[in-house]
Amino acid sequence: MELQEQQARAIVHEINTVLPQKINLMNKEGIIIASTDPERVQSFHGGAARIIQDNLDELRIHRYDEYPGARPGTNFMLQVEGEPIGVLGITGVYETILPLANVIRKMTELLVHEQEYQKAQSHLEYQQQLFLRELLEHSETFLSKEQVERASLLNIDLSIPRRIVVADFVESPEPHRVTDIASQLKIEAQRLDAACCVLTNNQMIVFLTGMRSEPQLYAFADKLLKYAQAHGVDLCFGMDSPAVDNTKLRQAFEQARKALCSCHRKGTVHIKGYDEINMEIFADLIPLAAKREYIKKIFHGYSTMELADAIHTLECFFEHDGSITKTAAALYIHKNTLQQHLKKIALRTGYDPRSLRSSAVFYVVLYFYQDIHLTGFCKA
């Protein structure tokens, strides 16, 4: 452990605002790292070097020529848990500055303790993230006795069967905002489920929860959604299908990811489970080029704008189960106008959207069209 320059500067600044004494803080090499006299920063202080070398509690200096770079005053060893971390130098009458020195010593000890704690926490969180990433990638072969013990050391209990919930932003925020929201959601998730582990994967946030039932999982996702919305962020959630044990977590993660993609495609749904999806199960196997070719084949001769208009009409039409009245109202057009649009699509494509036989063709088109335009969301 050692006193950091940022901490030293903060201490000197705070003291200098209320007390007139000249103060120096030196590191274990005797270099002044913070001072009320900026010109002395980064210079060598021979008195501080002697305190560290001889393990002295304090050293009074009476003349300018006693130690290189040192001036009259008293210098005190700074220690944390018995380990030297630096030296404090103060000018003034010894009896007057001694209480001040004790205060600075205690302040420094607390700051360094906090720094070490934060470093330990950051290291722990990094190791936890690394472990969870490996677990999701290799769950079938990963859960050996050694890995279970490693997880225990990282405060991850693998004796609890887990389910996977993944969340993603509806609109991409700034990178620092992603980090902040992910941290807040982790705290909220662990409030709801103390055993929950959280992994951040780019913009995707992965929750490994001990909750098992569908109602519990939906309630969990819904509370996280409301929490995020209350903080000005909109999310989509995907959930896995129940698995037997933690050896299926890689498969569960893929299931939750596909359910998440379905939420993005739908646009009006924020939470979806794997058991609710259909085409998403195999659609990732179809190359984007093949999807584009299929759309081009059905809507041959359409311009980009004409295709977008037709897709919008069809999405609304199928969203309202083929109801002319409801679709026209949603599109803010007359029923006869909608009928003309649908007839035009039937004439140009050869497939009538109002026909049960052709509805499957357009359903596939709509899915592929959404998939092409949402590829970025679904490839995290």
Side-chain angles (χ1 to χ4, degrees):
M1 290 186 288
E2 64 180 285
L3 183 63
Q4 300 295 319
E5 288 189 29
Q6 185 176 358
Q7 293 173 326
R9 288 196 299 269
I11 293 170
V12 169
H13 174 74
E14 288 299 320
I15 294 172
N16 195 38
T17 58
V18 294
L19 296 171
Q21 280 83 3
K22 294 181 179 179
I23 299 171
N24 297 314
L25 285 171
M26 285 72 75
N27 63 18
K28 290 191 289 187
E29 286 71 45
I31 304 299
I32 300 175
I33 58 175
S35 175
T36 52
D37 182 358
E39 294 185 0
R40 298 191 68 188
V41 176
Q42 296 304 319
S43 63
F44 178 72
H45 192 291
R50 186 190 166 190
I51 285 180
I52 297 296
Q53 179 180 338
D54 295 346
N55 196 30
L56 303 176
D57 185 61
E58 62 181 63
L59 176 67
R60 300 189 199 182
I61 299 175
H62 303 281
R63 303 186 312 275
Y64 280 89
D65 59 354
E66 281 189 70
Y67 295 94
R71 298 177 183 178
T74 307
N75 298 274
F76 301 88
M77 170 82 81
L78 295 173
Q79 293 181 318
V80 174
E81 297 178 354
E83 178 185 342
I85 63 167
V87 176
L88 164 68
I90 309 179
T91 60
V93 179
Y94 179 77
E95 289 75 17
T96 302
I97 65 173
L98 186 58
L100 175 61
N102 290 332
V103 170
I104 297 175
R105 280 174 151 178
K106 189 62 177 177
M107 181 189 302
T108 304
E109 180 180 353
L110 291 173
L111 282 171
V112 173
H113 265 302
E114 177 66 17
Q115 173 199 341
E116 292 301 312
Y117 174 76
Q118 293 296 336
K119 284 171 60 177
Q121 284 298 110
S122 296
H123 181 70
L124 175 62
E125 289 178 10
Y126 172 78
Q127 292 297 325
Q128 287 174 333
Q129 294 286 295
L130 183 63
F131 181 90
L132 293 174
R133 200 177 302 275
E134 292 177 36
L135 176 62
L136 291 183
E137 291 176 355
H138 310 290
S139 62
E140 295 89 345
T141 58
F142 189 68
L143 295 178
S144 63
K145 179 181 177 182
E146 291 76 12
Q147 295 295 359
V148 171
E149 291 174 353
R150 176 187 166 198
S152 180
L153 293 174
L154 296 173
N155 299 326
I156 299 173
D157 188 355
L158 289 182
S159 67
I160 301 173
R162 305 277 179 169
R163 290 196 62 181
I164 303 291
V165 177
V166 295
D168 192 13
F169 296 87
V170 173
E171 295 184 5
S172 299
E174 294 295 323
H176 74 277
R177 185 70 171 142
V178 173
T179 303
D180 291 344
I181 291 297
S183 298
Q184 293 173 32
L185 285 174
K186 179 179 179 179
I187 294 171
E188 181 65 10
Q190 291 178 338
R191 187 187 70 80
L192 297 171
D193 173 17
C196 184
C197 299
V198 183
L199 169 66
T200 303
N201 183 18
N202 297 323
Q203 286 193 185
M204 186 183 294
I205 306 167
V206 185
F207 303 91
L208 292 86
T209 174
M211 297 180 179
R212 298 293 296 167
S213 71
E214 295 297 306
Q216 280 183 316
L217 220 57
Y218 273 93
F220 176 75
D222 186 59
K223 288 176 181 177
L224 291 178
L225 172 61
K226 288 183 170 66
Y227 179 87
Q229 290 175 336
H231 289 76
V233 176
D234 210 6
L235 300 173
C236 283
F237 288 83
M239 304 183 302
D240 68 357
S241 184
V244 177
D245 54 40
N246 290 334
T247 63
K248 305 298 182 183
L249 285 176
R250 184 177 68 85
Q251 178 183 343
F253 174 61
E254 286 302 312
Q255 291 175 345
R257 190 187 67 82
K258 288 184 177 181
L260 175 66
C261 288
S262 181
C263 278
H264 279 302
R265 290 186 181 97
K266 189 71 173 174
T268 56
V269 177
H270 286 85
I271 302 172
K272 208 167 193 180
Y274 180 75
D275 292 339
E276 297 178 71
I277 67 176
N278 39 60
M279 285 189 64
E280 289 91 340
I281 294 174
F282 62 84
D284 286 348
L285 302 175
I286 303 173
L288 286 177
K291 294 173 183 176
R292 291 192 186 97
E293 185 63 26
Y294 183 82
I295 295 171
K296 183 178 178 181
K297 176 180 180 296
I298 302 301
F299 286 89
H300 178 71
Y302 274 69
S303 68
T304 302
M305 185 173 293
E306 287 175 330
L307 175 60
D309 288 341
I311 291 293
H312 179 59
T313 299
L314 291 170
E315 282 179 333
C316 194
F317 183 63
F318 286 114
E319 181 74 24
H320 292 88
D321 294 322
S323 170
I324 296 296
T325 301
K326 292 180 180 179
T327 304
L331 293 172
Y332 301 103
I333 59 177
H334 194 274
K335 290 188 291 183
N336 292 341
T337 304
L338 173 60
Q339 291 278 21
Q340 290 301 317
H341 287 339
L342 296 175
K343 287 179 181 178
K344 187 176 181 180
I345 291 173
L347 182 64
R348 294 187 65 180
T349 64
Y351 298 94
D352 189 344
R354 296 163 297 181
S355 164
L356 181 62
R357 179 181 299 177
S358 299
S359 61
V361 172
F362 290 113
Y363 181 81
V364 172
V365 166
L366 292 177
Y367 181 87
F368 285 177
Y369 187 86
Q370 293 167 341
D371 197 33
I372 291 167
H373 286 77
L374 290 169
T375 299
F377 283 112
C378 301
K379 305 301 179 186

